[in-house]
Amino acid sequence: MDFEIGRTLDARGLSCPMPAVKTALAFEEMSIGEVIEVLTDDPVSKKDLPVWAEATGNKLLGIKEEEKTIKIYLRKA
Amino acid sequence: MSDVKNKGSVTIVLFSGEMDKAIAAFVIATAAASMAMQVNIFFTFWGLKAIRKEGGLIKGQNWMQKMLNVMNYGHAKKLALSKLNMMGMGPMMLKTMMSQKRVPSLHEFIKTAHSLGVKFYPCEMSMTVMGLKKEDFIDECGEIIGAVSYLAKAKDSNINLFI
């Protein structure tokens, strides 16, 4: 990975739409250019968070899956 | 959300007073707010129950309003289901099933929506018909508005839903 993770949001156990809601709340506190790692086990988030990033004008850096945990990396634009 | 960029807006009319339908409205409202969209919910008729304060069974000025409010009593934590209500067993089971899957309750959704800047507008005409006052509603409620003000918001919204 060629980016530094600024913070991690553990949204595991939460279901739609809460991972997006929690991500949005975290973004309010983040500075521009900061990268967040969102941990989720909600399969919907794998599709929804990239759409969320596009809709809000932020950048999706990548998605990694480790067993049940999905790690989604987003950069605040 | 505080984002000033125009991400569009959603206006929802919540006409129904059932828990399942109110939750559907709040799932959409909170998701839209997370996308930095401006969200308005216009609570009308039975939908007003979702934002009623707990307690205060007898409300209204005349016997018909009082009877209606006693029979129609409910708030975010006490609403029936539109299907499979089973004399109140349905909502109880659904609440358990939802909390097992960590879906927020309606009460939690209302708090989250409010903190994301979702605007709640009770309908003035329904309140007058039912004999309800501003103090009968939760503090998260914004301005009490009429049909014209609702339409002015709906006209400028990209997404309009009637639930």
Side-chain angles (χ1 to χ4, degrees), chain B residues 122-137:
Chain B
C123 161
E124 197 264 333
M125 187 268 270
S126 309
M127 284 170 60
T128 310
V129 170
M130 295 180 174
L132 297 170
K133 297 196 171 69
K134 192 170 195 322
E135 55 266 29
D136 298 325
F137 296 93

Side-chain angles (χ1 to χ4, degrees), chain A residues 12-13 15 17 24 28 52 56, chain B residues 1 7 30 34 101-103:
Chain A
R12 283 176 293 187
S15 58
E28 284 205 330
W52 177 88
T56 51
Chain B
M1 304 229 83
K7 304 287 186 192
T30 49
S34 85
K101 293 289 170 198
R102 291 191 61 195
V103 177

Side-chain angles (χ1 to χ4, degrees), chain B residues 6-37:
Chain B
N6 183 25
K7 304 287 186 192
S9 78
V10 185
T11 297
I12 299 170
V13 179
L14 183 62
F15 176 86
S16 311
E18 288 104 358
M19 188 177 69
D20 43 357
K21 295 190 182 184
I23 286 177
F26 275 90
V27 169
I28 296 167
T30 49
S34 85
M35 294 163 79
M37 297 175 89

Side-chain angles (χ1 to χ4, degrees), chain A:
Chain A
M1 289 189 291
D2 55 346
F3 49 84
E4 205 175 300
I5 297 161
R7 64 179 78 199
T8 297
L9 169 71
D10 192 351
R12 283 176 293 187
L14 299 175
S15 58
C16 173
M18 294 319 284
V21 169
K22 297 270 182 199
T23 304
L25 290 172
F27 263 69
E28 284 205 330
E29 291 171 5
M30 282 164 60
S31 41
I32 289 168
E34 194 180 335
V35 175
I36 188 170
E37 174 187 50
V38 183
L39 308 180
T40 172
D41 50 14
D42 174 31
V44 177
S45 296
K46 204 166 71 178
K47 287 185 182 168
D48 264 14
L49 282 181
V51 174
W52 177 88
E54 207 190 323
T56 51
N58 294 296
K59 195 170 167 27
L60 172 76
L61 300 173
I63 299 176
K64 272 207 292 190
E65 279 185 72
E66 278 169 21
E67 290 177 27
K68 277 189 177 170
T69 302
I70 303 161
K71 296 178 174 180
I72 300 167
Y73 300 93
L74 302 162
R75 173 175 277 140
K76 181 163 176 166

Side-chain angles (χ1 to χ4, degrees), chain B residues 67-88:
Chain B
M67 194 171 84
L68 182 138
N69 285 316
V70 169
M71 298 190 62
N72 186 42
Y73 179 73
H75 48 79
K77 291 177 185 166
K78 190 186 176 298
L79 292 179
L81 291 185
S82 63
K83 277 185 184 208
L84 301 173
N85 191 49
M86 303 182 287
M87 315 273 287

